[in-house]
Amino acid sequence: MKFSRQTTLRAQATVTGVGVHSGLPVSLTLGPAPVDAGFIFVRTGLEETDREVPAVAGSVVATDLATVLGDREGPLVSTAEHVLAALRGMGVDNAVIEVDGPEVPIMDGSAAAFVAAIDQAGIVTQSASRRFIQVLKPVQAAIGDSFGELRPHASGFRVEVEIDFANPVIGRQNYSIDLNPEAFRREISRARTFGFMNEVARLWSAGFARGASFENTVVLDDSRLLNTEGLRFSNECARHKALDAVGDLTLAGLPLLGAYRSVRGGHKLNHAVLTALLADRSAWRVVEAEPARRPRGHVEAGAGMVGGLIAPAYGPDVS
């Protein structure tokens, strides 16, 4: 696969599960999309016609415990971050995501099932050059004691996460990843969402976590991990925050060229930083990847990395 070209899925693939907040059964189908389509959610199973919502920052209608996308008529798809992270992390540019319920299925709490679905569907190269949003200068946002920043980065997309919880099982953790499909699959795709037993009653009363279980959540009490199988990584919670950040920042609409740093952050902070970036037209530009001339027999790097030349597609001052 040549990373200078856009990609989509070869065929459809379906996963079924329950929504972690709604507790309702739901099926999700990933499928091909044309060049420059980006990621489009199609909400099916409605009383009237299906409704589409593009996976872009302007479609975000809520960020409480999950990223929720919708339109003028209201929310359409909740908990979009894990499937978006899988698509972006695996180097897919264009896809249709059909969901027959109000929430993306949580599966095992990670992006692993969506990576498996992408593997099943297959990835194909399209005719158009891949485009990126290149970060030109630092942009920050702060919410309480949470801080986030997008800054220029020499190549590709890097995520740096710091979390700090009073819970002794988590404590303070740091994790960084330079995103490419191999690293995404190996390092963060299997990191699960996590929660605390002492918050269950409050979440249930607020309409959240009704589908949460030990099968899809890392659960902790005041002093210990309650999942009998243990953690998948010693810093699984920080890795999951990195996974969420990849998914939330996918709502830029194009792959990012830059580095993202999150301190004690979450969906709300991720969205705030992305919104700040897109609002500052001097902080970014769209560029195209141009294939470099390679010696015969040379194997190019995986999708999601930047190779060859980077040529401006249009500047940030052009709508």
Side-chain angles (χ1 to χ4, degrees), residues 84-220:
L84 290 176
L87 288 163
R88 178 67 74 224
M90 295 304 294
V92 179
D93 293 290
N94 305 301
V96 172
I97 309 160
E98 296 183 8
V99 186
D100 68 359
E103 189 175 9
V104 170
I106 190 62
M107 308 311 290
D108 72 346
S110 76
F114 303 118
V115 170
I118 292 168
D119 288 341
Q120 177 186 338
I123 301 175
V124 294
T125 303
Q126 296 178 291
S127 59
S129 295
R130 176 170 283 165
R131 298 186 302 153
F132 302 84
I133 290 178
Q134 182 183 27
V135 179
L136 300 177
K137 68 179 187 181
V139 175
Q140 301 92 15
I143 302 174
D145 63 353
S146 301
F147 171 80
E149 178 185 54
L150 273 165
R151 67 179 189 272
H153 186 57
S155 63
F157 180 49
R158 178 176 175 83
V159 176
E160 303 164 355
V161 169
E162 177 183 323
I163 61 175
D164 190 2
F165 286 86
N167 187 287
V169 180
I170 302 176
R172 185 173 180 176
Q173 298 180 9
N174 292 275
Y175 180 75
S176 300
I177 182 172
D178 291 294
L179 193 67
N180 61 66
E182 294 76 19
F184 179 85
R185 183 193 297 273
R186 181 181 65 250
E187 301 293 337
I188 64 174
S189 72
R190 296 180 61 250
R192 297 164 293 175
T193 191
F194 59 95
F196 304 93
M197 282 297 294
N198 61 7
E199 295 183 351
V200 169
R202 177 182 65 83
L203 292 173
W204 283 351
S205 65
F208 295 110
R210 293 177 177 175
S213 70
F214 289 111
E215 283 70 46
N216 58 39
T217 307
V218 172
V219 184
L220 307 106

Side-chain angles (χ1 to χ4, degrees), residues 19 47 100 167 200 227 243 248 256 277 279 300:
E47 291 185 3
D100 68 359
N167 187 287
V200 169
N227 302 68
L243 173 69
D248 288 340
L256 288 169
L277 174 76
E300 293 189 85

Side-chain angles (χ1 to χ4, degrees), residues 28 33 37-44 46 49-62 67-80 83-84 87 95-104 250-251 253:
L28 178 147
F39 302 132
I40 301 171
F41 282 90
V42 179
R43 175 67 196 281
T44 65
L46 298 170
T49 185
D50 297 346
R51 287 161 63 189
E52 295 185 1
V53 59
V56 295
S59 298
V60 174
V61 297
T67 295
V68 184
L69 306 180
D71 58 18
R72 293 179 181 176
E73 297 182 38
L76 282 175
V77 181
S78 177
T79 323
V83 66
L84 290 176
L87 288 163
V96 172
I97 309 160
E98 296 183 8
V99 186
D100 68 359
E103 189 175 9
V104 170
T250 295
L251 296 170

